[in-house]
Amino acid sequence: MKKFGAYKIVSDKEMNIEYYRGEITIEDLISFKKKLHSDPDYNRYWSTIVDLRDCKLIVKSSEFSEFINFMKTGYDHTKSRSIALISSRPNDVAISTMYSLLVKESGLNFTTYLLSAIDSVVNSFCNNLFTEEELNAILKGLKTSTNNIYT
């Protein structure tokens, strides 16, 4: 499956939404984040939903420090943000759990949620900022977007 990544910034809800498909490495994640950070509408302190359900994370535990160090660059540690990682595959859940633990140890003020269903994201993470239909429509739009970060 070809590598694909897309995002949407929902300014009126102060939410960043990311979608990944294919085999994704640490280098891919950093590349995606660099592109996202260069968007003038992006705000690194807004909550973020990351849909990993259609990707396979190819990440070694030794590589997490590189990603976390990248995320720490220019980050104001007194500010907080919340991140919802959506995945139900055991490998990706394990990687997401490890990432969450390492982020806490790093000093980044992130609260990470590991979720497997859109209704959980809407009810537990977004506090009903979106309906399930709205969030599903956004994710469907990202899945079919012609703006692939990796091309």
Side-chain angles (χ1 to χ4, degrees):
M1 181 182 300
K2 187 175 180 196
K3 188 180 320 214
F4 181 85
Y7 68 87
K8 180 172 180 77
I9 298 168
V10 186
S11 299
D12 63 322
K13 300 191 189 271
E14 298 185 348
M15 184 74 65
N16 303 304
I17 303 172
E18 303 173 17
Y19 171 77
Y20 297 86
R21 180 173 63 231
E23 291 188 350
I24 304 296
T25 66
I26 276 294
E27 292 81 17
D28 297 327
L29 291 172
I30 290 172
S31 168
F32 186 103
K33 293 295 187 182
K34 284 180 180 177
K35 181 77 171 178
L36 182 59
H37 289 188
S38 71
D39 188 311
D41 295 326
Y42 176 71
N43 185 319
R44 67 174 49 205
Y45 304 107
W46 289 353
S47 294
T48 301
I49 298 169
V50 181
D51 188 348
L52 302 168
R53 295 175 295 174
D54 295 334
C55 82
K56 179 179 180 185
L57 294 172
I58 311 294
V59 179
K60 297 175 189 154
S61 58
S62 60
E63 297 175 318
F64 277 112
S65 61
E66 180 183 356
F67 185 69
I68 289 171
N69 287 334
F70 171 78
M71 295 300 288
K72 288 170 79 170
T73 304
Y75 191 85
D76 180 349
H77 297 285
T78 64
K79 295 186 178 184
S80 65
R81 73 183 279 199
S82 296
I83 304 168
L85 302 169
I86 310 170
S87 184
S88 57
R89 288 196 314 263
N91 180 61
D92 296 338
V93 170
I95 289 171
S96 298
T97 301
M98 184 180 297
Y99 170 73
S100 298
L101 294 171
L102 292 172
V103 161
K104 283 184 181 185
E105 292 175 7
S106 75
L108 284 170
N109 199 2
F110 293 3
T111 302
T112 306
Y113 298 80
L114 305 175
L115 304 164
S116 61
I118 295 300
D119 65 332
S120 298
V121 176
V122 169
N123 297 323
S124 302
F125 179 74
C126 298
N127 297 318
N128 295 307
L129 283 174
F130 299 100
T131 65
E132 284 184 51
E133 293 78 21
E134 289 171 325
L135 188 53
N136 276 321
I138 290 169
L139 292 171
K140 181 179 180 184
L142 290 175
K143 289 179 181 187
T144 58
S145 172
T146 57
N147 296 323
N148 183 1
I149 292 292
Y150 301 115
T151 57

